[in-house]
Amino acid sequence: MTDKTSNQMWGGRFAAGPDAIMEAINASIGYDQRMAAQDIAGSRAHAAMLAATGVITDSDAEAIRKGLLTVLSEIEGGAFEFSTALEDIHMNVEARLKEVIGEPAGRLHTGRSRNDQVATDFKLWVRDQLDAAESGLLALIRALLAQAEAGAEWVMPGFTHLQTAQPVTWGHHMMAYVEMFGRDLSRVRDARARMNESPLGAAALAGTSFPIDRHMTAEALGFDRPAANSLDAVSDRDFALEFLSTASICAMHLSRFAEELVIWSSAQFRFVTLSDRFSTGSSIMPQKKNPDAAELIRAKVGRIYGANTALMMVMKGLPLAYSKDMQEDKEQVFDAADNWMLALAAMEGMVKDMTANRDSLAAAAGSGFSTATDLADWLVRVLGLPFRDAHHVTGSLVAMAESKGCDLPDLTLADMQSVHGDITDDVFGVLGVDNSVNSRMSYGGTAPAQVRAQIERWKATLS
């Protein structure tokens, strides 16, 4: 195939032929420039260590330090010109450093490789994102706690199969999400602790013959320790996979909550009112107020799951140590991180701004025979019926109420005694939704006293 034919296949996108195609597939600077701050931090720590161990002179280290700060200032100020010919952030920074300080720049790469350099940069970047995720989760949990505290005793229907099951409280429902996002928080912290080992100084794969001090650079960069095996240090992307796995589980939780907000804010439910800040109107239907933020959060999980699967596929068949395939790790993680942080912030904003419609919640709580289980429990507790018999009696009473077009508390005592003659007036004391929720005093139950206890436990944990 001629170069001309090849270029026609590319539709003119690569006018310079195979060299341009190779440059395009090989370069990562289009996206890994996001790690500029981490790259320069790693280089500063490395240069300081090289001077401390006598590998380079103090004057060279000082020139490198000042030069790197100049390069960082140019990047942050938008004056830096990135070059695809220089492939990646590491070579772009080093090339510019040489222009700024001359010969000492060539000594910076002593005792390291781009293999350990990129692993270090990427770890530092992911660690920053885990810290951001922790902050986002803490803010969301606090917003949920505020909602739970405000509505600790507001009754609402609890659902299974999206069918009315038993009455619960608004506070109890909010606290369910506190527990879910609390697990996400623990996963974030756990992942951060596990990944906090420095690859720097592992060099290409075997370490280096220079008398470097990897503990010094690890400490300078905030790592707990240097990675213990140089082969593993440059080959490992578990930290990125664990970040994506943690993000995926959290995104699933966000999506579940978003789905409930979509349902609850509908005209058919009216459980919550979302603020105008997180809703949009319709271009044609003036009555519409669409929960677009919740819907978009619900969709973000697909991108984050996809990133997790994509990186798993990149890594699954790679031999040790570094392979160029691993350049495909960053775009997936960058995209997932952006969408995770955005979804967390949007959900926190919606939760802080939303209003629970107490009257609508209460009206729905008493519908759908939601206290049927309380009736069955009363038959067991007071009349001594076996639960299966109590279940059958209650089912018959539900069918009777359904045929009469009323709810269980609306049946007369005579109606109830026609199904089981030993039922007394006392039964009506358990059929109200408030009585129902107040009776659920088992640990972790929906009784307001239990909900408030869990709120206090979480407040103490967070403080």
Side-chain angles (χ1 to χ4, degrees), residues 205-382:
L205 75 163
T208 178
S209 58
F210 291 98
I212 63 172
D213 185 346
R214 293 189 61 212
H215 289 84
M216 180 179 173
T217 51
E219 183 178 355
L221 293 170
F223 288 111
D224 294 329
R225 64 192 71 84
N229 183 284
S230 59
L231 267 172
D232 177 59
V234 298
S235 306
D236 168 44
R237 292 299 182 270
D238 287 3
F239 63 93
L241 289 166
E242 193 162 6
F243 173 83
L244 292 174
S245 175
T246 299
S248 295
I249 296 171
C250 182
M252 176 267 292
H253 292 156
L254 289 166
S255 184
R256 293 182 71 179
F257 193 16
E259 169 70 359
E260 294 207 313
L261 293 180
V262 170
I263 294 170
W264 290 352
S265 62
S266 68
Q268 289 71 31
F269 274 73
R270 299 186 187 279
F271 284 5
V272 299
T273 301
L274 300 178
S275 76
D276 291 346
R277 293 202 310 146
F278 294 96
S279 307
T280 64
S282 165
S283 63
I284 191 172
M285 295 168 284
Q287 83 280 11
K288 295 292 291 299
K289 183 177 179 180
N290 300 322
D292 282 7
E295 291 172 355
L296 289 166
I297 290 171
R298 188 174 58 186
K300 293 295 184 188
V301 68
R303 295 176 69 159
I304 296 170
Y305 279 2
N308 192 19
T309 301
L311 185 53
M312 282 285 194
M313 294 302 292
V314 167
M315 298 301 298
K316 72 173 183 64
L318 297 186
L320 301 182
Y322 183 84
S323 297
K324 192 68 171 181
D325 311 49
M326 292 164 72
Q327 184 170 291
E328 291 296 307
D329 55 3
K330 293 165 204 67
E331 283 184 286
Q332 313 295 340
V333 175
F334 292 163
D335 185 73
D338 288 346
N339 284 283
W340 187 19
M341 302 312 152
L342 183 58
L344 279 171
M347 184 59 83
E348 185 227 346
M350 279 195 296
V351 171
K352 284 176 70 175
D353 286 3
M354 73 181 179
T355 302
N357 301 323
R358 186 176 183 179
D359 291 343
S360 296
L361 292 169
S367 66
F369 311 108
S370 64
T371 55
T373 307
D374 297 279
L375 172 56
D377 289 348
W378 183 89
L379 293 169
V380 171
R381 188 171 59 252
V382 176

Side-chain angles (χ1 to χ4, degrees), residues 96 128 135 155 198 325-326 351 355 357 373 414 437 452:
R96 178 57 183 149
D128 288 344
S135 296
V155 291
S198 173
D325 311 49
M326 292 164 72
V351 171
T355 302
N357 301 323
T373 307
V437 297
R452 291 191 179 97

Side-chain angles (χ1 to χ4, degrees), residues 47-175:
M49 178 275 295
L50 291 177
T53 54
V55 176
I56 65 174
T57 66
D58 289 341
S59 61
D60 280 349
E62 179 61 13
I64 290 169
R65 184 189 71 81
K66 289 181 177 177
L68 286 170
L69 290 175
T70 298
V71 175
L72 180 61
S73 177
E74 291 175 352
I75 293 172
E76 291 178 342
F80 192 96
E81 293 186 13
F82 293 100
S83 167
T84 55
L86 292 170
E87 296 184 20
D88 55 35
I89 186 60
H90 324 298
M91 299 304 290
N92 269 263
V93 168
E94 191 171 329
R96 178 57 183 149
L97 181 65
K98 186 173 183 180
E99 292 175 353
V100 173
I101 68 170
E103 183 182 345
R107 297 189 175 93
L108 173 59
H109 210 52
T110 307
R112 74 175 185 186
S113 159
R114 276 195 292 176
N115 292 356
D116 63 331
Q117 190 178 0
V118 68
T120 302
D121 291 1
F122 198 23
K123 267 199 173 185
L124 290 171
W125 193 91
V126 169
R127 191 178 69 184
D128 288 344
Q129 297 305 301
L130 286 168
D131 289 342
E134 179 177 14
S135 296
L137 282 163
L138 285 169
L140 175 55
I141 287 169
R142 289 190 175 101
L144 287 163
L145 286 171
Q147 284 283 354
E149 194 163 29
E153 57 188 30
W154 300 355
V155 291
M156 67 175 288
F159 299 96
T160 62
H161 310 279
L162 205 55
Q163 306 292 314
T164 299
Q166 296 174 344
V168 296
T169 56
W170 172 257
H172 193 54
H173 204 115
M174 293 298 101
M175 290 304 294

Side-chain angles (χ1 to χ4, degrees), residues 324-448:
K324 192 68 171 181
D325 311 49
M326 292 164 72
Q327 184 170 291
E328 291 296 307
D329 55 3
K330 293 165 204 67
E331 283 184 286
Q332 313 295 340
V333 175
F334 292 163
D335 185 73
D338 288 346
N339 284 283
W340 187 19
M341 302 312 152
L342 183 58
L344 279 171
M347 184 59 83
E348 185 227 346
M350 279 195 296
V351 171
K352 284 176 70 175
D353 286 3
M354 73 181 179
T355 302
N357 301 323
R358 186 176 183 179
D359 291 343
S360 296
L361 292 169
S367 66
F369 311 108
S370 64
T371 55
T373 307
D374 297 279
L375 172 56
D377 289 348
W378 183 89
L379 293 169
V380 171
R381 188 171 59 252
V382 176
L383 300 188
L385 269 64
F387 183 79
R388 286 301 171 198
D389 293 346
H391 189 282
H392 178 76
V393 170
T394 302
S396 298
L397 290 170
V398 167
M400 178 187 292
E402 203 166 31
S403 68
K404 290 176 174 285
C406 66
D407 208 340
L408 284 172
D410 301 316
L411 293 175
T412 66
L413 179 60
D415 289 333
M416 293 193 178
Q417 288 178 338
S418 70
V419 175
H420 196 286
D422 293 337
I423 295 176
T424 68
D425 265 332
D426 290 344
V427 74
F428 293 100
V430 302
L431 293 182
V433 290
D434 290 304
N435 292 330
S436 175
V437 297
N438 283 317
S439 71
R440 307 292 177 180
M441 277 295 292
S442 57
Y443 182 83
T446 193

